[in-house]
């Protein structure tokens, strides 16, 4: 135990924690990009889940998510949560260029600004959120309460996504953000239940059929929320990659903080100032999500296509003239008219006769 503590508390342990956190962020980013490409290539409707589970790319994404989770847990063994959790937010920054490279485009300036705003808000939110104490856990009543509220919230978010306005594109983005929020909440609840199961196992599960029944129930709920969170994130990426991924990364710690404050007796660090910082961080992150939502596809036209179009529009507005696109096609071709010709001009004209003076 002392050797592990010294390894985790020293400079070498910090370096290992940082490296593992970066590996975790890369794994989550690659998984998100793979899920996004699957979502854009697959059609919905009946049998969509069966077709999804039959694709090897889906299981590759599942494996990448699992690898990211294992690297995150290993990083927490060597470094504190205050270091590991903010580094996990780099998933969004890594996923943007990876996704753009796969789509053969560049990341737009709007997307980069949105990512930085979201990252700043997420780091601020995590910085004032107190970690769960190892001995804190949910009891059976709290577990059932959290499960029921979470299922109700997921249902409301899914229903809101189906009835969203703003045209087809607006409905798709609204549905994606709703599913992303539900995915983050489901993952947070799964983490809280995992913490409860870990505490129960550490207490050696004192005998009695009730204790084993509760443990089996926790295991089933953890598996259900983990699978549900993954499938909800898959559905979220039909509305794009950047904005849903940002919402997933934000709703996860936010939901965990709500559970900790409401049920586990936690509070934000620094008291009232911690609440103020959390509120400001939430606003900053919301600004980032808005930028990511409006910046979807801004670089899809190739290298700076939208920037060129915007510059042309600005130039036209500044000069007071409207740029006119010239028609393309063959020029100087003869025009054929129906009906007889009005005038026939011979190719050669007779020479004029001389005028006599007589």
């Amino acid at each position: 135990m002392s050797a592990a503590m010294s390894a985790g508390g020293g400079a070498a342990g910090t370096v290992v924690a940082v490296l593992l956190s970066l590996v975790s962020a890369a794994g989550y980013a690659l998984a998100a990009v793979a899920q996004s490409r699957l979502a854009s290539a697959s059609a919905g409707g009946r049998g969509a889940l069966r077709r999804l589970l039959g694709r090897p790319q889906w299981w590759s994404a599942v494996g990448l998510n699992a690898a990211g989770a294992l690297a995150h847990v290993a990083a927490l063994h060597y470094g504190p949560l205050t270091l590991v959790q903010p580094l996990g937010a780099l998933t969004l920054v890594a996923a943007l260029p990876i996704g753009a490279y796969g789509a053969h485009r560049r990341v737009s300036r709007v997307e980069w600004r949105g990512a930085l705003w979201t990252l700043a808000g997420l780091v601020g939110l995590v910085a004032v959120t107190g970690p769960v104490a190892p001995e804190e856990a949910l009891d059976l009543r709290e577990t059932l309460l959290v499960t029921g509220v979470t299922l109700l919230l997921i249902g409301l978010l899914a229903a809101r996504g189906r009835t969203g306005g703003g045209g087809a594109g607006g409905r798709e983005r609204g549905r994606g953000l709703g599913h992303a929020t539900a995915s983050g909440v489901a993952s947070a609840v799964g983490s809280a239940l995992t913490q409860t199961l870990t505490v129960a196992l550490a207490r050696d599960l004192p005998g009695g059929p009730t204790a084993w029944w509760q443990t089996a129930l926790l295991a089933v709920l953890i598996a259900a929320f983990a699978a549900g969170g993954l499938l909800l994130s898959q559905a979220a990426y039909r509305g794009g990659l950047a904005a849903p991924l940002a919402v997933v990364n934000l709703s996860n710690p936010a939901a965990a903080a709500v559970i900790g404050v409401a049920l586990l007796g936690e509070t934000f660090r620094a008291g009232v100032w911690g609440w103020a910082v959390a509120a400001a961080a939430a606003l900053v992150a919301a600004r980032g999500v808005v930028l990511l939502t409006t910046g979807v596809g801004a670089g899809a036209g190739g290298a700076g296509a939208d920037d060129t179009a915007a510059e042309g529009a600005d130039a036209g507005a500044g000069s007071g003239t409207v740029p006119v696109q010239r028609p393309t096609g063959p020029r100087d071709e003869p025009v054929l008219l129906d009906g007889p010709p009005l005038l026939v001009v011979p190719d050669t004209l007779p020479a004029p006769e001389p005028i006599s003076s007589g």
Side-chain angles (χ1 to χ4, degrees):
M1 175 66 72
S2 60
M5 291 179 62
S6 62
T14 301
V15 173
V16 173
V18 170
L19 292 177
L20 287 173
S21 298
L22 296 178
V23 171
S24 175
Y28 282 132
L30 289 172
V33 172
Q35 288 182 264
S36 176
R37 298 185 67 179
L38 275 174
S40 61
S42 61
R46 301 180 61 181
L49 180 59
R50 186 184 69 254
R51 292 192 299 269
L52 179 66
L53 296 180
R55 302 192 64 172
Q57 295 88 344
W58 162 254
W59 295 107
S60 299
V62 172
L64 288 169
N65 272 306
L70 291 176
H72 180 75
V73 172
L76 288 174
H77 175 72
Y78 290 98
L81 184 68
T82 53
L83 173 66
V84 174
Q85 198 72 11
L87 289 175
L90 294 176
T91 299
L92 177 61
V93 179
L96 276 179
I98 295 175
Y101 178 79
H104 304 288
R105 68 176 183 87
R106 294 188 303 184
V107 182
S108 67
R109 291 190 294 268
V110 176
E111 289 176 307
W112 278 125
R113 287 199 301 269
L116 293 178
W117 277 82
T118 306
L119 182 63
L122 182 57
V123 171
L125 182 63
V126 171
V128 297
T129 303
V132 177
E135 68 278 1
E136 294 292 339
L138 301 172
D139 57 26
L140 180 60
R141 182 185 62 83
E142 293 170 340
T143 298
L144 296 178
L145 176 63
V146 168
T147 300
V149 171
T150 303
L151 292 177
L152 178 61
L153 180 60
I154 290 175
L156 291 175
L157 289 171
R160 183 179 182 274
R162 285 194 297 268
T163 58
R171 284 194 299 270
E172 191 66 36
R173 286 192 293 270
R175 186 184 299 113
L177 295 183
H179 286 151
T181 305
S183 174
V185 172
S187 300
V189 173
S191 299
L193 296 180
T194 302
Q195 172 71 18
T196 299
L197 180 61
T198 303
V199 171
L201 294 175
R203 292 172 181 170
D204 294 329
L205 294 175
T210 303
W212 287 103
W213 175 78
Q214 292 179 5
T215 304
L217 176 63
L218 283 173
V220 170
L221 290 177
I222 290 170
F225 278 117
L230 194 58
L231 292 175
L232 285 168
S233 65
Q234 176 66 41
Y237 292 136
R238 290 185 180 178
L241 172 64
L245 181 59
V247 172
V248 169
N249 287 332
L250 283 170
S251 56
N252 191 326
V258 170
I259 294 174
V261 172
L263 299 176
L264 299 178
E266 297 179 5
T267 184
F268 289 110
R269 296 189 181 101
V272 177
W273 286 106
W275 287 91
V277 171
L283 292 176
V284 170
R287 166 68 174 168
V289 172
V290 170
L291 288 174
L292 288 173
T293 303
T294 57
V296 171
D306 289 340
D307 294 338
T308 304
E311 290 173 2
D314 292 341
S319 61
T321 60
V322 179
V324 178
Q325 183 178 4
R326 297 178 59 90
T328 58
R331 300 173 59 187
D332 300 332
E333 294 182 358
V335 179
L336 300 179
L337 300 177
D338 294 335
L342 299 179
L343 178 65
V344 177
V345 180
D347 294 338
T348 59
L349 296 175
E353 297 180 1
I355 302 175
S356 60
S357 57

